[in-house]
Amino acid sequence: MDPRFYVLATAAFLSGANLRVFDSLLPNIAAEYSVSHAGAAIVVAAFTLSYGLFQVFYGPIGDRYGRLRTVSIATAIASMGSIGSAFTQDLNWLAALRFVTGIGAAGIIPVSLAWIGDETKYENRQISLGNFISFILLGQIFGPSLGGALAELSSWRTIFYFFSIAFFIMTVILITVDLHYRNSLESKPLAYLKINPVDVYINIIKNSWCRSILIAVHLEGALFYGSFAFVGAWIQAEQNLSYMTVGILLSGFGLGGVFYTLSIRKLQGMLGEVGFVATGASILFIFFIGLPMIRSLLFIGLWCVLGGIGFYMLHNTLQTKATEMYPEARGTAISVFAMSLFSGQAVGTIAFGVFSTTYGYPLSFVVIAFCVLALGGFFMKKLRANLQSS
């Protein structure tokens, strides 16, 4: 496989770890700053908001100037935001610096996905994307567990020293690899990539199928990621566990995604794209319905594995379709997709925090379950129509 794949995948590993690190730290942050879980969630919302909003800048830059160069800029910004997060003593400043980190992280995974779309035939793309996602998932396994461990043994700030150094090293590697491949086709500005990004955005929004993808992924981000940010807080409140244990349990989500990626080739032949959506949404329904009823630590961990399998069955199908929304400027198109996902997460995190504070976690998770099932039905209908017309 192309060495650039592994370089981008390693950056994605760090991005995945950074993205999910607060899943186990939210109770710790709330305790340190004497705020509720919903109040501490501003840190999560700030990161995901900037992560979503700044996608629109990275896509066109990656299309025009090269994917690796763009990702190296992103990792450099993430490094600076991380070191600031480690030193700040104020919750509002922490939220602001996580916002800066989100600006950097916004350019890592989406631009890398565009590179995979450029280099992989469509019939093999879901498998290539699955392999790439496995690196992100390993990061998501690593992030909560390491964050919880360091919060327990040292301080939650230590994790951001780690991220700052790791992102800096990744920046150096990306620049070096980009210089090596500078004469390759990937790193040269191509004539067809000189399309006005605004025209690309307008054309995507005008297309009804593209709108369906964007609506679906926005709702997915709001419903799943918005609620999953509180699963760690719910486990800690219900079980009174250590932060390290909470982090390990939440790592089951990433492990479930890894199981999915290992079986994707066989599942693709058995289920097809519509089957992936139907099965993924159904598993997520079971995950959220069952979550408030579970008390055993073992079953909580296994339930997180189940949730990871369901989520990535649904999400990877959406992601594969997104790579074909606008092939002439794939990076720009995927940036719109990612912006929709993470702006949904930012809104969902705040909404779930308010709803769960008012009505409690059990009812909130049940409401999410039925909403996810409705989302699966909506996208299945749109996907069938698209497949029949193509």
Side-chain angles (χ1 to χ4, degrees):
M1 190 173 285
D2 193 316
R4 289 171 293 180
F5 174 88
Y6 293 107
V7 172
L8 292 171
T10 303
F13 169 87
L14 291 174
S15 181
N18 187 59
L19 180 64
R20 298 256 59 91
V21 69
F22 268 98
D23 289 348
S24 59
L25 295 183
L26 196 62
N28 193 276
I29 300 297
E32 175 156 339
Y33 291 105
S34 301
V35 296
S36 66
H37 292 157
I42 187 177
V43 177
V44 178
F47 177 88
T48 52
L49 181 62
S50 64
Y51 194 113
L53 292 176
F54 280 84
Q55 307 289 337
V56 296
F57 298 101
Y58 284 109
I61 293 171
D63 283 339
R64 190 175 293 269
Y65 298 108
R67 313 293 188 205
L68 269 70
R69 281 185 225 183
T70 304
V71 176
S72 70
I73 294 170
T75 54
I77 296 172
S79 177
M80 291 185 287
S82 295
I83 194 65
S85 298
F87 281 106
T88 185
Q89 300 294 321
D90 179 82
L91 181 62
N92 291 327
W93 271 108
L94 178 60
L97 287 160
R98 287 298 286 169
F99 186 90
V100 172
T101 307
I103 293 174
I108 298 173
I109 293 175
V111 175
S112 299
L113 292 175
W115 184 88
I116 293 171
D118 292 340
E119 300 293 327
T120 311
K121 293 180 180 179
Y122 185 78
E123 55 267 26
N124 298 322
R125 197 170 299 161
Q126 184 141 338
I127 295 171
S128 295
L129 289 171
N131 292 334
F132 182 78
I133 285 173
S134 66
F135 281 83
I136 303 172
L137 293 171
L138 289 172
Q140 292 179 350
I141 293 171
F142 178 77
S145 55
L146 181 63
L150 290 176
E152 190 72 22
L153 300 175
S154 175
S155 165
W156 60 266
R157 299 177 188 278
T158 309
I159 189 66
F160 295 107
Y161 293 117
F162 166 81
F163 278 126
S164 179
I165 295 169
F167 277 125
F168 176 77
I169 293 172
M170 202 67 242
T171 301
V172 174
I173 294 172
L174 282 160
I175 292 171
T176 303
V177 173
D178 179 59
L179 289 172
H180 178 73
Y181 281 94
R182 180 156 294 192
N183 293 325
S184 69
L185 182 64
E186 186 275 337
S187 61
K188 291 182 180 178
L190 302 178
Y192 69 80
L193 295 180
K194 295 181 180 179
I195 302 170
N196 187 334
V198 176
D199 292 337
V200 176
Y201 293 136
I202 291 172
N203 290 335
I204 290 172
I205 297 301
K206 284 182 177 179
N207 185 288
S208 61
W209 169 234
C210 292
R211 285 200 305 272
S212 297
I213 295 174
L214 297 177
I215 291 169
V217 79
H218 180 82
L219 292 174
E220 179 193 52
L223 294 171
F224 183 83
Y225 277 130
S227 59
F228 195 79
F230 290 86
V231 171
W234 173 77
I235 294 172
Q236 203 278 332
E238 287 289 311
Q239 302 286 339
N240 194 27
L241 303 173
S242 68
Y243 298 114
M244 183 188 302
T245 304
V246 172
I248 292 171
L249 292 172
L250 292 177
S251 297
F253 169 72
L255 186 60
V258 172
F259 287 152
Y260 158 73
T261 61
L262 293 175
S263 58
I264 186 171
R265 191 180 297 272
K266 182 180 291 186
L267 290 173
Q268 190 174 32
M270 294 170 54
L271 299 175
E273 292 180 323
V274 175
F276 271 127
V277 175
T279 307
S282 299
I283 291 174
L284 285 176
F285 173 78
I286 295 170
F287 169 76
F288 282 112
I289 283 287
L291 191 60
M293 307 175 192
I294 298 173
R295 293 295 179 265
S296 164
L297 293 189
L298 175 61
F299 278 103
I300 290 174
L302 292 174
W303 217 243
C304 288
V305 173
L306 180 70
I309 293 172
F311 173 75
Y312 281 100
M313 290 187 78
L314 174 61
H315 182 69
N316 202 41
T317 305
L318 282 165
Q319 199 159 247
T320 303
K321 289 298 179 183
T323 63
E324 287 300 301
M325 286 198 304
Y326 207 100
E328 296 84 356
R330 187 171 276 115
T332 303
I334 291 180
S335 71
V336 181
F337 174 83
M339 181 182 68
S340 298
L341 171 65
F342 287 98
S343 60
Q345 181 177 346
V347 172
T349 300
I350 295 171
F352 189 89
V354 173
F355 193 89
S356 62
T357 299
T358 305
Y359 298 104
Y361 285 126
L363 179 60
S364 301
F365 288 136
V366 170
V367 170
I368 291 293
F370 283 97
C371 289
V372 168
L373 200 61
L375 170 62
F378 162 78
F379 190 65
M380 280 175 60
K381 180 180 178 180
K382 297 295 183 180
L383 180 56
R384 282 198 187 101
N386 176 259
L387 291 173
Q388 289 170 1
S389 64
S390 59

